[in-house]
Amino acid sequence: MIDSTTEPADARASAPPRQARRLWHDAAALMATVAAADLLVLLVQRRWSVGLDGWQSALLGALLLALVLAVPLYWLLRTTVRACELDARQTQALRPPAPAHQRRLRAVLYGMLLVIGLAAGWQVWQAQRAEAARQVDAELITLAGHQRMQSQRIGRLAVLAALAPRNSAVHLAELRESQAAMQRASKRMAALIEQQHAARGLPSGNIDPLLNRVVVQQESLWENATYVAQVDAEMMPPIALGLQAEADAFLRDMDALAAELQAEADARSRLAVDSNREWALLMLGLLVCLALAVLEPLVRTLRRQQERLLAQAEETRYLALAAQRTGNGVVFTDREHRIVWVNEGFTRLSGYALAEVAGRTPGAVLGSDRTPPETLARLAQAMALRQAVQAQVCDRAKDGREYWVDVDMQPLHDEHGALTGFVEVQSDITEQVLQRQHMAKLIETMPVGMLVYDAAGVIRESNTAACRILGQSAEQLQGRAAADPRWHRVREDGTDMPAEAHPALLSLRSGQQVNGAVFGLRLPNGGLRWLSLDAQPLVGRDGAVEGVIACLGDLTEKLPLIHIFVLGHPVE
């Protein structure tokens, strides 16, 4: 843990600019990939979409674009996620839930990608429609040229049949073939024009009258061609000459119609070029919006996160050094109070290494029956309420020995306030506990009575001698105040002693010790017992008096002798 947080400061300081540059490089690569993917899809689709309808071709284009973009997008997102996870592991922090602004960035990113995909699909569909219209225009122009050629051939064959009667049968047969070919081409032109009408709307104003005139001339040309094949040889020359004149007129109108069709095809081609330019600008605008709406906030977010992680890493470095070098045991647990990390101080105290206790609770590893049940209940309640607690517990080490520790347990929260675990600092107080136990035994066996009052003047502890002197059991003395009216105290002169004159209360108020105070105490059986009391105040860390310890001596048998020696007569 220490090695991961003690890298050179200059290397850590250069991390945010380096990461920002890397992200901008990734963003530039992403935008270039999107543009290249769009061109690649258009090129590939021309080969694969032959024979497909417009919507099928658009769907194919969208799928191809999604497949091509899936790899670089996944790579970019995965790289960003791995970088964030690596930073989180280096700072030994639990990964917090995604903030709201990160969720918004993700939503905007996916929304922009969806818009780009839809725009690309629409562009592909428009390109397919333009390509289909171009092919129809090319076929119409080709058919117009075919009709021109066939009309001239029909006129020439009619003249040849009239000038060479011997070979008229051959010429008339060829004329009928040309007529049939011209009729097939005319039907095909009519179907294509109808297709253009359904796809693009009504034809232009110049094409409509030309088309009607060509149809009328075409029908007249077919009728005269059929009539030439049926008349006698004497009547054929004038009819053939008229047919030739009609063919010339049909040729002129067909040339005009072909020119109009070519002009309309050129206009549609220019419109397609303009549309492609507009779509290219739209795609560029979408990419710019993607960079401004997603990549730039992402860069700022990563920069702020990196700066925050660096500050946390620096702080964690010192905390890790302190936790590792301290003589106290330090234990980090998760939300379920399972151990995730311990320091060397814990190993010295318990004999357990991290690998032996990881995933287990401290109580399951170190629990001892000598810990008071009320202490265990207080610890469990603090963990349930996620509160800090301090307690003294008895632990059992790996070798079976028992030792006492003062446990200071604090909850850990992430930046959003969610509980992530607990940290325990265990201070070895075995010597202090043993000293207290030895002192308690010593006090218990002392012939002098011992009373411990709290700050309110209430008895909290007493020894056997005090119970004997006061004629009360330990349970009766526990919780009884010095100012309790059931105490009947008298001065040496026999007058009643008020409660505020009690030596323990005087020591509590003044903070000074009181020595050699003598007073009488009437016992429950009616007798009078003379006592000597020394009071010593107990001062806390803040300098305030937290209680008083009082030593009692029984002067009942000695006090008359003292008075006879001092006064020459016993006290009345």
Side-chain angles (χ1 to χ4, degrees):
M1 183 185 71
I2 295 179
D3 294 340
S4 62
T5 58
T6 55
E7 58 184 4
D10 53 351
R12 295 195 304 271
S14 62
R18 184 168 61 251
Q19 187 168 0
R21 287 195 300 269
R22 185 173 66 249
L23 184 59
W24 276 114
H25 293 165
D26 295 341
L30 174 63
M31 289 187 286
T33 302
V34 172
D38 193 15
L39 295 177
L40 181 61
V41 167
L42 291 177
L43 294 177
V44 174
Q45 192 181 17
R46 288 188 178 182
R47 183 181 298 270
W48 287 6
S49 61
V50 177
L52 296 179
D53 295 334
W55 68 271
Q56 294 175 341
S57 177
L59 179 61
L60 176 61
L63 291 176
L64 289 175
L65 185 62
L67 290 176
V68 173
L69 292 179
V71 175
L73 290 178
Y74 174 79
W75 170 78
L76 178 62
L77 293 176
R78 186 61 180 168
T79 302
T80 304
V81 170
R82 285 181 177 178
C84 295
E85 290 178 350
L86 179 60
D87 292 337
R89 286 196 300 270
Q90 288 179 346
T91 55
Q92 300 177 356
L94 297 176
R95 185 178 179 86
H101 70 278
Q102 293 184 6
R103 292 193 294 269
R104 289 195 298 269
L105 283 178
R106 187 180 294 110
V108 171
L109 175 61
Y110 292 151
M112 292 297 296
L113 293 178
L114 178 61
V115 171
I116 290 176
L118 293 176
W122 180 266
Q123 181 184 8
V124 171
W125 182 53
Q126 292 290 340
Q128 289 297 318
R129 291 186 60 188
E131 178 65 18
R134 187 192 64 79
Q135 293 178 358
V136 171
D137 290 336
E139 187 175 358
L140 281 174
I141 294 173
T142 301
L143 290 174
H146 178 271
Q147 293 293 76
R148 295 172 61 256
M149 181 188 68
Q150 293 296 339
S151 65
Q152 292 300 305
R153 190 165 184 267
I154 288 175
R156 187 176 64 256
L157 289 174
V159 172
L160 290 176
L163 296 178
R166 297 178 183 178
N167 298 327
S168 61
V170 177
H171 297 314
L172 291 176
E174 293 179 357
L175 187 147
R176 284 191 290 270
E177 291 178 359
S178 297
Q179 182 182 357
M182 195 172 180
Q183 289 175 348
R184 291 193 298 271
S186 177
K187 292 180 180 180
R188 178 60 180 166
M189 286 185 66
L192 292 177
I193 291 175
E194 182 65 23
Q195 180 180 347
Q196 289 285 58
H197 172 76
R200 297 288 182 176
L202 294 175
S204 64
N206 294 330
I207 292 179
D208 193 16
L210 286 174
L211 183 62
N212 294 331
R213 189 162 63 246
V214 164
V215 170
V216 172
Q217 291 177 352
Q218 181 176 253
E219 292 177 353
S220 177
L221 183 64
W222 291 346
E223 183 179 356
N224 291 330
T226 303
Y227 184 68
V228 167
Q230 295 175 355
V231 300
D232 296 335
E234 294 79 6
M235 299 180 63
M236 189 176 294
I239 297 176
L241 292 176
L243 185 61
Q244 180 65 37
E246 289 183 358
D248 292 339
F250 179 81
L251 177 63
R252 288 191 298 271
D253 291 339
M254 186 57 68
D255 287 339
L257 179 60
E260 289 297 329
L261 291 175
Q262 183 64 48
E264 188 173 282
D266 294 340
R268 274 195 289 267
S269 178
R270 288 191 298 271
L271 182 62
V273 171
D274 295 339
S275 178
N276 289 334
R277 185 182 298 110
E278 293 174 357
W279 278 106
L281 293 176
L282 176 62
M283 293 294 291
L284 180 61
L286 290 176
L287 291 177
V288 172
C289 292
L290 178 64
L292 295 178
V294 177
L295 296 179
E296 179 61 26
L298 184 59
V299 169
R300 292 196 300 268
T301 300
L302 288 178
R303 182 181 294 112
R304 289 193 300 267
Q305 181 182 8
Q306 187 69 18
E307 293 174 353
R308 185 173 62 253
L309 290 177
L310 287 177
Q312 293 176 355
E314 188 67 20
E315 181 181 1
T316 304
R317 172 176 174 267
Y318 292 111
L319 292 177
L321 288 174
Q324 195 70 21
R325 299 294 188 267
T326 183
N328 296 330
V330 179
V331 180
F332 282 88
T333 62
D334 59 11
R335 288 176 293 184
E336 304 299 329
H337 206 51
R338 294 186 295 262
I339 297 175
V340 296
W341 184 84
V342 297
N343 70 338
E344 294 179 359
F346 174 85
T347 303
R348 287 193 299 270
L349 286 175
S350 65
Y352 289 102
L354 175 60
E356 298 175 289
V357 298
R360 304 169 63 185
T361 62
V365 178
L366 307 172
S368 172
D369 296 336
R370 297 182 61 185
T371 302
E374 56 272 15
T375 301
L376 297 178
R378 190 157 58 92
L379 289 172
Q381 182 181 11
M383 285 187 291
L385 298 177
R386 302 178 180 181
Q387 296 177 349
V389 66
Q390 187 172 3
Q392 295 180 357
V393 300
C394 181
D395 288 343
R396 180 176 287 105
K398 184 178 180 181
D399 56 6
R401 61 180 175 85
E402 292 183 334
Y403 61 96
W404 286 84
V405 292
D406 183 81
V407 177
D408 185 2
M409 185 175 67
Q410 300 289 335
L412 300 176
H413 301 88
D414 60 14
E415 58 184 4
H416 305 286
L419 180 71
T420 59
F422 297 89
V423 57
E424 295 183 10
V425 178
Q426 302 177 351
S427 304
D428 187 2
I429 58 171
T430 305
E431 293 297 329
Q432 295 90 316
V433 172
L434 292 178
Q435 290 178 3
R436 287 202 306 266
Q437 292 175 351
H438 295 163
M439 185 61 66
K441 292 180 180 179
L442 178 62
I443 293 175
E444 188 66 24
T445 58
M446 289 177 59
V448 178
M450 186 75 67
L451 294 176
V452 178
Y453 295 88
D454 61 11
V458 177
I459 298 174
R460 294 305 178 189
E461 296 182 23
S462 61
N463 66 348
T464 304
C467 295
R468 176 179 52 79
I469 294 173
L470 298 176
Q472 305 280 342
S473 66
E475 290 76 13
Q476 292 174 327
L477 292 177
Q478 182 74 19
R480 193 169 180 178
D484 193 319
R486 288 176 295 176
W487 298 113
H488 299 286
R489 290 179 290 268
V490 296
R491 295 189 175 94
E492 293 182 77
D493 58 2
T495 59
D496 291 337
M497 176 185 288
E500 58 271 13
H502 192 285
L505 298 181
L506 293 176
S507 180
L508 275 175
R509 289 195 298 268
S510 64
Q512 303 293 326
Q513 65 180 10
V514 176
N515 296 323
V518 178
F519 60 92
L521 180 66
R522 298 192 182 276
L523 301 179
N525 57 10
L528 179 64
R529 180 161 293 172
W530 292 95
L531 305 177
S532 172
L533 188 144
D534 295 331
Q536 179 68 33
L538 301 176
V539 181
R541 295 180 179 179
D542 56 355
V545 178
E546 297 179 349
V548 169
I549 183 169
C551 295
L552 294 174
D554 188 355
L555 301 179
T556 304
E557 298 179 356
K558 300 178 181 180
L559 188 60
L561 298 177
I562 296 175
H563 280 83
I564 292 174
F565 178 78
V566 175
L567 302 177
H569 60 83
V571 66
E572 296 180 357

mmCIF file with all atom_site columns, all heavy atoms in Angstrom, residues 16-29:
data_model
loop_
_atom_site.group_PDB
_atom_site.id
_atom_site.type_symbol
_atom_site.label_atom_id
_atom_site.label_alt_id
_atom_site.label_comp_id
_atom_site.label_asym_id
_atom_site.label_entity_id
_atom_site.label_seq_id
_atom_site.pdbx_PDB_ins_code
_atom_site.Cartn_x
_atom_site.Cartn_y
_atom_site.Cartn_z
_atom_site.occupancy
_atom_site.B_iso_or_equiv
_atom_site.pdbx_formal_charge
_atom_site.auth_seq_id
_atom_site.auth_comp_id
_atom_site.auth_asym_id
_atom_site.auth_atom_id
_atom_site.pdbx_PDB_model_num
ATOM 1   N N   . PRO A 1 16 ? -2.151  14.716 -14.594 1.00 0.00 ? 16 PRO A N   1
ATOM 2   C CA  . PRO A 1 16 ? -3.339  15.287 -15.218 1.00 0.00 ? 16 PRO A CA  1
ATOM 3   C C   . PRO A 1 16 ? -3.115  15.806 -16.625 1.00 0.00 ? 16 PRO A C   1
ATOM 4   O O   . PRO A 1 16 ? -3.901  15.484 -17.519 1.00 0.00 ? 16 PRO A O   1
ATOM 5   C CB  . PRO A 1 16 ? -3.729  16.408 -14.232 1.00 0.00 ? 16 PRO A CB  1
ATOM 6   C CG  . PRO A 1 16 ? -3.131  15.997 -12.934 1.00 0.00 ? 16 PRO A CG  1
ATOM 7   C CD  . PRO A 1 16 ? -1.845  15.306 -13.303 1.00 0.00 ? 16 PRO A CD  1
ATOM 8   N N   . PRO A 1 17 ? -2.048  16.608 -16.915 1.00 0.00 ? 17 PRO A N   1
ATOM 9   C CA  . PRO A 1 17 ? -1.870  17.028 -18.305 1.00 0.00 ? 17 PRO A CA  1
ATOM 10  C C   . PRO A 1 17 ? -1.661  15.852 -19.244 1.00 0.00 ? 17 PRO A C   1
ATOM 11  O O   . PRO A 1 17 ? -2.172  15.850 -20.367 1.00 0.00 ? 17 PRO A O   1
ATOM 12  C CB  . PRO A 1 17 ? -0.634  17.943 -18.237 1.00 0.00 ? 17 PRO A CB  1
ATOM 13  C CG  . PRO A 1 17 ? -0.551  18.378 -16.818 1.00 0.00 ? 17 PRO A CG  1
ATOM 14  C CD  . PRO A 1 17 ? -1.051  17.219 -16.029 1.00 0.00 ? 17 PRO A CD  1
ATOM 15  N N   . ARG A 1 18 ? -0.896  14.855 -18.772 1.00 0.00 ? 18 ARG A N   1
ATOM 16  C CA  . ARG A 1 18 ? -0.657  13.708 -19.641 1.00 0.00 ? 18 ARG A CA  1
ATOM 17  C C   . ARG A 1 18 ? -1.950  12.959 -19.929 1.00 0.00 ? 18 ARG A C   1
ATOM 18  O O   . ARG A 1 18 ? -2.218  12.562 -21.065 1.00 0.00 ? 18 ARG A O   1
ATOM 19  C CB  . ARG A 1 18 ? 0.358   12.778 -18.977 1.00 0.00 ? 18 ARG A CB  1
ATOM 20  C CG  . ARG A 1 18 ? 0.743   11.599 -19.874 1.00 0.00 ? 18 ARG A CG  1
ATOM 21  C CD  . ARG A 1 18 ? 1.945   10.860 -19.315 1.00 0.00 ? 18 ARG A CD  1
ATOM 22  N NE  . ARG A 1 18 ? 1.688   10.314 -17.999 1.00 0.00 ? 18 ARG A NE  1
ATOM 23  C CZ  . ARG A 1 18 ? 2.219   10.772 -16.877 1.00 0.00 ? 18 ARG A CZ  1
ATOM 24  N NH1 . ARG A 1 18 ? 3.045   11.803 -16.902 1.00 0.00 ? 18 ARG A NH1 1
ATOM 25  N NH2 . ARG A 1 18 ? 1.945   10.218 -15.710 1.00 0.00 ? 18 ARG A NH2 1
ATOM 26  N N   . GLN A 1 19 ? -2.783  12.805 -18.926 1.00 0.00 ? 19 GLN A N   1
ATOM 27  C CA  . GLN A 1 19 ? -4.039  12.114 -19.143 1.00 0.00 ? 19 GLN A CA  1
ATOM 28  C C   . GLN A 1 19 ? -4.974  12.936 -20.019 1.00 0.00 ? 19 GLN A C   1
ATOM 29  O O   . GLN A 1 19 ? -5.690  12.397 -20.857 1.00 0.00 ? 19 GLN A O   1
ATOM 30  C CB  . GLN A 1 19 ? -4.695  11.827 -17.793 1.00 0.00 ? 19 GLN A CB  1
ATOM 31  C CG  . GLN A 1 19 ? -5.940  10.955 -17.896 1.00 0.00 ? 19 GLN A CG  1
ATOM 32  C CD  . GLN A 1 19 ? -6.389  10.461 -16.548 1.00 0.00 ? 19 GLN A CD  1
ATOM 33  O OE1 . GLN A 1 19 ? -5.769  10.778 -15.556 1.00 0.00 ? 19 GLN A OE1 1
ATOM 34  N NE2 . GLN A 1 19 ? -7.445  9.691  -16.517 1.00 0.00 ? 19 GLN A NE2 1
ATOM 35  N N   . ALA A 1 20 ? -4.965  14.274 -19.850 1.00 0.00 ? 20 ALA A N   1
ATOM 36  C CA  . ALA A 1 20 ? -5.807  15.119 -20.700 1.00 0.00 ? 20 ALA A CA  1
ATOM 37  C C   . ALA A 1 20 ? -5.368  15.034 -22.157 1.00 0.00 ? 20 ALA A C   1
ATOM 38  O O   . ALA A 1 20 ? -6.197  14.937 -23.070 1.00 0.00 ? 20 ALA A O   1
ATOM 39  C CB  . ALA A 1 20 ? -5.757  16.572 -20.206 1.00 0.00 ? 20 ALA A CB  1
ATOM 40  N N   . ARG A 1 21 ? -4.026  15.072 -22.378 1.00 0.00 ? 21 ARG A N   1
ATOM 41  C CA  . ARG A 1 21 ? -3.553  14.949 -23.767 1.00 0.00 ? 21 ARG A CA  1
ATOM 42  C C   . ARG A 1 21 ? -3.937  13.605 -24.359 1.00 0.00 ? 21 ARG A C   1
ATOM 43  O O   . ARG A 1 21 ? -4.334  13.511 -25.528 1.00 0.00 ? 21 ARG A O   1
ATOM 44  C CB  . ARG A 1 21 ? -2.032  15.132 -23.794 1.00 0.00 ? 21 ARG A CB  1
ATOM 45  C CG  . ARG A 1 21 ? -1.573  16.563 -23.565 1.00 0.00 ? 21 ARG A CG  1
ATOM 46  C CD  . ARG A 1 21 ? -0.110  16.729 -23.955 1.00 0.00 ? 21 ARG A CD  1
ATOM 47  N NE  . ARG A 1 21 ? 0.759   15.865 -23.171 1.00 0.00 ? 21 ARG A NE  1
ATOM 48  C CZ  . ARG A 1 21 ? 1.317   16.224 -22.027 1.00 0.00 ? 21 ARG A CZ  1
ATOM 49  N NH1 . ARG A 1 21 ? 1.091   17.432 -21.522 1.00 0.00 ? 21 ARG A NH1 1
ATOM 50  N NH2 . ARG A 1 21 ? 2.098   15.390 -21.363 1.00 0.00 ? 21 ARG A NH2 1
ATOM 51  N N   . ARG A 1 22 ? -3.810  12.564 -23.537 1.00 0.00 ? 22 ARG A N   1
ATOM 52  C CA  . ARG A 1 22 ? -4.181  11.240 -24.045 1.00 0.00 ? 22 ARG A CA  1
ATOM 53  C C   . ARG A 1 22 ? -5.658  11.185 -24.405 1.00 0.00 ? 22 ARG A C   1
ATOM 54  O O   . ARG A 1 22 ? -6.048  10.587 -25.412 1.00 0.00 ? 22 ARG A O   1
ATOM 55  C CB  . ARG A 1 22 ? -3.864  10.179 -22.995 1.00 0.00 ? 22 ARG A CB  1
ATOM 56  C CG  . ARG A 1 22 ? -4.119  8.766  -23.500 1.00 0.00 ? 22 ARG A CG  1
ATOM 57  C CD  . ARG A 1 22 ? -3.633  7.714  -22.515 1.00 0.00 ? 22 ARG A CD  1
ATOM 58  N NE  . ARG A 1 22 ? -4.398  7.748  -21.278 1.00 0.00 ? 22 ARG A NE  1
ATOM 59  C CZ  . ARG A 1 22 ? -3.914  8.132  -20.117 1.00 0.00 ? 22 ARG A CZ  1
ATOM 60  N NH1 . ARG A 1 22 ? -2.650  8.524  -20.015 1.00 0.00 ? 22 ARG A NH1 1
ATOM 61  N NH2 . ARG A 1 22 ? -4.668  8.127  -19.034 1.00 0.00 ? 22 ARG A NH2 1
ATOM 62  N N   . LEU A 1 23 ? -6.505  11.846 -23.604 1.00 0.00 ? 23 LEU A N   1
ATOM 63  C CA  . LEU A 1 23 ? -7.929  11.845 -23.894 1.00 0.00 ? 23 LEU A CA  1
ATOM 64  C C   . LEU A 1 23 ? -8.244  12.617 -25.171 1.00 0.00 ? 23 LEU A C   1
ATOM 65  O O   . LEU A 1 23 ? -9.079  12.188 -25.977 1.00 0.00 ? 23 LEU A O   1
ATOM 66  C CB  . LEU A 1 23 ? -8.697  12.428 -22.714 1.00 0.00 ? 23 LEU A CB  1
ATOM 67  C CG  . LEU A 1 23 ? -10.222 12.411 -22.838 1.00 0.00 ? 23 LEU A CG  1
ATOM 68  C CD1 . LEU A 1 23 ? -10.726 10.986 -23.015 1.00 0.00 ? 23 LEU A CD1 1
ATOM 69  C CD2 . LEU A 1 23 ? -10.868 13.049 -21.628 1.00 0.00 ? 23 LEU A CD2 1
ATOM 70  N N   . TRP A 1 24 ? -7.550  13.766 -25.375 1.00 0.00 ? 24 TRP A N   1
ATOM 71  C CA  . TRP A 1 24 ? -7.776  14.507 -26.620 1.00 0.00 ? 24 TRP A CA  1
ATOM 72  C C   . TRP A 1 24 ? -7.298  13.710 -27.827 1.00 0.00 ? 24 TRP A C   1
ATOM 73  O O   . TRP A 1 24 ? -7.921  13.754 -28.890 1.00 0.00 ? 24 TRP A O   1
ATOM 74  C CB  . TRP A 1 24 ? -7.076  15.860 -26.550 1.00 0.00 ? 24 TRP A CB  1
ATOM 75  C CG  . TRP A 1 24 ? -7.885  16.908 -25.868 1.00 0.00 ? 24 TRP A CG  1
ATOM 76  C CD1 . TRP A 1 24 ? -7.626  17.532 -24.699 1.00 0.00 ? 24 TRP A CD1 1
ATOM 77  C CD2 . TRP A 1 24 ? -9.130  17.436 -26.327 1.00 0.00 ? 24 TRP A CD2 1
ATOM 78  N NE1 . TRP A 1 24 ? -8.622  18.413 -24.382 1.00 0.00 ? 24 TRP A NE1 1
ATOM 79  C CE2 . TRP A 1 24 ? -9.559  18.388 -25.368 1.00 0.00 ? 24 TRP A CE2 1
ATOM 80  C CE3 . TRP A 1 24 ? -9.934  17.201 -27.439 1.00 0.00 ? 24 TRP A CE3 1
ATOM 81  C CZ2 . TRP A 1 24 ? -10.742 19.091 -25.502 1.00 0.00 ? 24 TRP A CZ2 1
ATOM 82  C CZ3 . TRP A 1 24 ? -11.118 17.918 -27.571 1.00 0.00 ? 24 TRP A CZ3 1
ATOM 83  C CH2 . TRP A 1 24 ? -11.500 18.847 -26.622 1.00 0.00 ? 24 TRP A CH2 1
ATOM 84  N N   . HIS A 1 25 ? -6.207  13.000 -27.685 1.00 0.00 ? 25 HIS A N   1
ATOM 85  C CA  . HIS A 1 25 ? -5.769  12.138 -28.785 1.00 0.00 ? 25 HIS A CA  1
ATOM 86  C C   . HIS A 1 25 ? -6.811  11.065 -29.077 1.00 0.00 ? 25 HIS A C   1
ATOM 87  O O   . HIS A 1 25 ? -7.112  10.778 -30.241 1.00 0.00 ? 25 HIS A O   1
ATOM 88  C CB  . HIS A 1 25 ? -4.422  11.492 -28.437 1.00 0.00 ? 25 HIS A CB  1
ATOM 89  C CG  . HIS A 1 25 ? -3.303  12.482 -28.352 1.00 0.00 ? 25 HIS A CG  1
ATOM 90  N ND1 . HIS A 1 25 ? -2.089  12.189 -27.762 1.00 0.00 ? 25 HIS A ND1 1
ATOM 91  C CD2 . HIS A 1 25 ? -3.209  13.774 -28.766 1.00 0.00 ? 25 HIS A CD2 1
ATOM 92  C CE1 . HIS A 1 25 ? -1.303  13.256 -27.831 1.00 0.00 ? 25 HIS A CE1 1
ATOM 93  N NE2 . HIS A 1 25 ? -1.955  14.226 -28.437 1.00 0.00 ? 25 HIS A NE2 1
ATOM 94  N N   . ASP A 1 26 ? -7.359  10.493 -28.021 1.00 0.00 ? 26 ASP A N   1
ATOM 95  C CA  . ASP A 1 26 ? -8.399  9.490  -28.223 1.00 0.00 ? 26 ASP A CA  1
ATOM 96  C C   . ASP A 1 26 ? -9.627  10.096 -28.881 1.00 0.00 ? 26 ASP A C   1
ATOM 97  O O   . ASP A 1 26 ? -10.266 9.469  -29.742 1.00 0.00 ? 26 ASP A O   1
ATOM 98  C CB  . ASP A 1 26 ? -8.786  8.856  -26.880 1.00 0.00 ? 26 ASP A CB  1
ATOM 99  C CG  . ASP A 1 26 ? -7.645  8.059  -26.266 1.00 0.00 ? 26 ASP A CG  1
ATOM 100 O OD1 . ASP A 1 26 ? -6.713  7.701  -27.032 1.00 0.00 ? 26 ASP A OD1 1
ATOM 101 O OD2 . ASP A 1 26 ? -7.672  7.803  -25.049 1.00 0.00 ? 26 ASP A OD2 1
ATOM 102 N N   . ALA A 1 27 ? -9.964  11.342 -28.489 1.00 0.00 ? 27 ALA A N   1
ATOM 103 C CA  . ALA A 1 27 ? -11.128 11.997 -29.095 1.00 0.00 ? 27 ALA A CA  1
ATOM 104 C C   . ALA A 1 27 ? -10.894 12.262 -30.582 1.00 0.00 ? 27 ALA A C   1
ATOM 105 O O   . ALA A 1 27 ? -11.791 12.043 -31.413 1.00 0.00 ? 27 ALA A O   1
ATOM 106 C CB  . ALA A 1 27 ? -11.424 13.299 -28.354 1.00 0.00 ? 27 ALA A CB  1
ATOM 107 N N   . ALA A 1 28 ? -9.694  12.749 -30.931 1.00 0.00 ? 28 ALA A N   1
ATOM 108 C CA  . ALA A 1 28 ? -9.384  12.981 -32.346 1.00 0.00 ? 28 ALA A CA  1
ATOM 109 C C   . ALA A 1 28 ? -9.425  11.677 -33.135 1.00 0.00 ? 28 ALA A C   1
ATOM 110 O O   . ALA A 1 28 ? -9.956  11.615 -34.257 1.00 0.00 ? 28 ALA A O   1
ATOM 111 C CB  . ALA A 1 28 ? -8.007  13.634 -32.465 1.00 0.00 ? 28 ALA A CB  1
ATOM 112 N N   . ALA A 1 29 ? -8.884  10.630 -32.545 1.00 0.00 ? 29 ALA A N   1
ATOM 113 C CA  . ALA A 1 29 ? -8.931  9.324  -33.208 1.00 0.00 ? 29 ALA A CA  1
ATOM 114 C C   . ALA A 1 29 ? -10.367 8.855  -33.377 1.00 0.00 ? 29 ALA A C   1
ATOM 115 O O   . ALA A 1 29 ? -10.734 8.261  -34.397 1.00 0.00 ? 29 ALA A O   1
ATOM 116 C CB  . ALA A 1 29 ? -8.114  8.302  -32.413 1.00 0.00 ? 29 ALA A CB  1
#
